[in-house]
Amino acid sequence: MDYAIQLEKNKTQWIEAVKSGDSKALELVYRAYRKPFVNWLTQQTSCNQDMALDVFQESVLALYKNAKSGRLDDLKSGIKTYLFAIGKRVWLYRNRQHKVKTSAMEIEDLPVKELIVNPSNLDSMSERQQLVSQLLSKMRPSCRSILFSFYYENLRLKEVAEKLNYKSVNVVKAMKGRCMEALKKMVYQHIKTA
Amino acid sequence: MFAENNNLELLERHFAGKLTEEEQAIFDKSMKTDADFKELVGYFEDFMVGLEDFGDKAVLQELKSLEKTIQQEEKMEGLQNLWKGFFDKADYTLEQLAALFRPVVTYEPLLAHAHRGNDIPLIVTEKEWDMAVEDMVLTFSEPISSDFSLAIENNQRQVVWTSIIPEASIDFTLTLQDTNIQAPGRYYFKLSNDKQTLLQEFFVHKDWMPKP
């Protein structure tokens, strides 16, 4: 199966799949462009295979976040072109302190506004923000899933209920409130005892 | 409390920029006059940033697991191709195997253990590589100062595979699947920079080499 052809042909459906929290969408884009991306980056730069895979994974994450937030809704180029443009920026961002030859990286610079290329930046996060990120992994899986689906994947309550097999939207809504309260308590207690 | 007075929904709509003018006015007033509400807003802001970071890490973790799966799939595929290429020892006659393992006489004095290039910081081992058994790992004593070319020849001196080892590499791993070698036998790799070439032999299925 040629994932890339399938993906470019059904660009809009792919974006919709990302928005609806379909995890297969992420796998599809990963499998479609993994080899061409790694080959391109290792040939155009001094990047080795492992580093190229790291850059690729970060670029796929950025692509996913851009799709999820609606920034790709009017995408004129192909997904590949867009992904490689992100990849170029991620690579340059990672090497901003070194002199990197960029002239050889032949990829179209897209006029994309607000392109997310470095989603997580621990340096710029406050202590409490970092604490929230850490404590989330210690929460009950049911809470974690609801908060992740609603706030990170931007799913509606109805979609969260369907995805996580809850009987009604009201159950999810009530649980979401309780989970946020529990998280607040955990953060508060952690700060108090620290 | 998030659960009180629909605070949570209010905060969510505020951060999504979906409050009506009237609601926004109430929100702004509460921020000025209600310390508890202001604290709650601070918590919510931090929760959103923390959640975003948690989510990013979860997605990256998912991608890393997928990468592992793909690498395992490729390895399996490589092994299947390898066996397709090799068939079985029984497919080769003793004469054919003897021919495949015959050394290149003119290469013998040039082999790495006898002759080391000063400009190529390869750590040469006395080990006889068998790539059917393990991957070949070339280790350098220091990061290489320029791109090196790597060529593999069979014992007919035909180049069967080439690659570039990029500048600053400290090691290089080569698997049999990477090389697309399709037959057992004696092989040589030539590692070169613009000044010197280093030659070393290795085997593919040395256990199939006929005893003299």
Side-chain angles (χ1 to χ4, degrees):
Chain A
M1 185 196 304
D2 193 326
Y3 293 109
I5 292 174
Q6 197 187 338
L7 189 60
E8 297 296 345
K9 263 186 180 174
N10 304 292
K11 194 167 71 179
T12 314
Q13 286 92 323
W14 180 80
I15 294 167
E16 285 312 311
V18 169
K19 286 182 175 176
S20 67
D22 183 350
S23 61
K24 284 278 166 202
L26 205 59
E27 181 172 346
L28 186 65
V29 79
Y30 194 95
R31 286 184 182 272
Y33 297 120
R34 177 178 168 270
K35 264 193 183 165
F37 187 100
V38 169
N39 287 342
W40 165 72
L41 198 60
T42 50
Q43 281 165 15
Q44 304 275 356
T45 69
S46 57
C47 188
N48 65 29
Q49 177 98 2
D50 287 346
M51 218 188 288
L53 278 171
D54 277 351
V55 173
F56 178 61
Q57 286 162 3
E58 208 172 307
S59 304
V60 170
L61 171 63
L63 174 77
Y64 165 78
K65 291 185 70 143
N66 281 296
K68 186 165 66 86
S69 65
R71 286 187 181 89
L72 302 192
D73 288 356
D74 300 317
L75 185 65
K76 300 279 186 291
S77 71
I79 289 175
K80 182 183 178 185
T81 309
Y82 194 86
L83 177 65
F84 279 44
I86 294 176
K88 180 180 170 181
R89 291 194 193 189
V90 170
W91 170 250
L92 293 176
Y93 181 80
R94 280 185 169 217
N95 291 279
R96 63 197 182 281
Q97 284 167 342
H98 309 290
K99 286 178 184 171
V100 178
K101 287 178 190 171
T102 58
S103 55
M105 293 178 80
E106 289 168 5
I107 189 79
E108 187 186 342
D109 255 321
L110 295 170
V112 275
K113 289 177 188 167
E114 301 169 45
L115 177 72
I116 303 171
V117 292
N118 52 326
S120 287
N121 190 352
L122 212 60
D123 299 339
S124 65
M125 283 171 71
S126 75
E127 208 173 314
R128 194 161 72 180
Q129 289 164 350
Q130 289 181 37
L131 192 58
V132 170
S133 176
Q134 288 163 20
L135 290 175
L136 271 160
S137 56
K138 292 178 183 162
M139 288 194 97
R140 277 186 299 140
S142 56
C143 263
R144 215 165 46 212
S145 306
I146 285 181
L147 297 183
F148 179 83
S149 304
F150 187 78
Y151 291 112
Y152 186 80
E153 295 188 304
N154 296 333
L155 299 186
R156 293 176 186 152
L157 286 174
K158 191 176 172 233
E159 293 167 327
V160 177
E162 280 167 10
K163 185 184 171 190
L164 302 175
N165 292 321
Y166 284 101
K167 281 179 189 167
S168 76
V169 169
N170 287 338
V171 174
V172 176
K173 193 177 170 183
M175 276 190 73
K176 175 166 67 75
R178 281 202 293 272
C179 294
M180 283 294 270
E181 209 56 63
L183 183 59
K184 185 167 164 263
K185 213 173 266 179
M186 283 167 79
V187 171
Y188 182 75
Q189 277 171 356
H190 201 278
I191 292 172
K192 205 175 151 188
T193 53
Chain B
M1 293 275 281
F2 283 123
E4 275 174 11
N5 305 322
N6 290 327
N7 274 337
L8 192 54
E9 282 70 34
L10 184 71
L11 288 168
E12 285 163 359
R13 294 183 56 226
H14 167 71
F15 281 96
K18 288 179 179 169
L19 290 186
T20 61
E21 272 183 38
E22 197 182 338
E23 286 172 325
Q24 190 63 52
I26 296 169
F27 184 93
D28 294 340
K29 193 182 169 194
S30 299
M31 282 292 281
K32 283 177 190 160
T33 58
D34 187 343
D36 289 343
F37 182 75
K38 194 178 175 183
E39 192 197 358
L40 202 62
V41 174
Y43 263 103
F44 189 80
E45 275 177 347
D46 285 350
F47 280 15
M48 290 306 104
V49 177
L51 261 157
E52 198 67 18
D53 181 65
F54 172 81
D56 288 351
K57 284 175 181 158
V59 172
L60 274 177
Q61 199 50 48
E62 197 181 323
L63 295 179
K64 286 187 190 306
S65 302
L66 176 60
E67 177 57 38
K68 266 190 189 169
T69 307
I70 293 173
Q71 284 185 8
Q72 275 168 357
E73 285 170 7
E74 284 178 347
K75 210 165 189 179
M76 288 307 293
E77 201 180 310
L79 281 173
Q80 281 162 6
N81 289 340
L82 186 65
W83 287 112
K84 266 185 226 162
F86 273 121
F87 303 110
D88 196 282
K89 189 181 174 185
D91 293 320
Y92 296 91
T93 63
L94 209 57
E95 286 74 24
Q96 282 172 332
L97 284 173
L100 287 167
F101 282 96
R102 192 168 298 135
V104 176
V105 180
T106 52
Y107 279 176
E108 289 299 295
L110 303 173
L111 289 176
H113 59 264
H115 175 84
R116 274 194 72 175
N118 295 329
D119 293 311
I120 299 178
L122 178 72
I123 297 173
V124 180
T125 62
E126 295 301 319
K127 180 174 177 174
E128 289 189 327
W129 291 102
D130 187 342
M131 282 189 73
V133 179
E134 61 180 321
D135 297 341
M136 184 191 287
V137 183
L138 304 181
T139 309
F140 302 105
S141 57
E142 58 191 60
I144 55 177
S145 55
S146 61
D147 288 354
F148 280 18
S149 68
L150 179 67
I152 291 181
E153 289 183 8
N154 62 18
N155 71 340
Q156 301 301 304
R157 299 184 68 174
Q158 292 162 332
V159 177
V160 293
W161 186 79
T162 61
S163 181
I164 297 290
I165 304 179
E167 179 186 343
S169 299
I170 193 76
D171 54 33
F172 187 79
T173 302
L174 194 59
T175 67
L176 196 51
Q177 295 94 292
D178 291 336
T179 63
N180 205 24
I181 288 175
Q182 296 286 316
R186 186 186 300 259
Y187 290 84
Y188 299 88
F189 73 76
K190 283 180 173 176
L191 185 62
S192 315
N193 60 9
D194 50 1
K195 293 176 185 165
Q196 229 159 352
T197 297
L198 187 141
L199 182 75
Q200 187 158 355
E201 72 177 354
F202 65 94
F203 298 90
V204 174
H205 266 302
K206 196 176 181 210
D207 52 328
W208 293 6
M209 182 162 71
K211 300 272 181 283

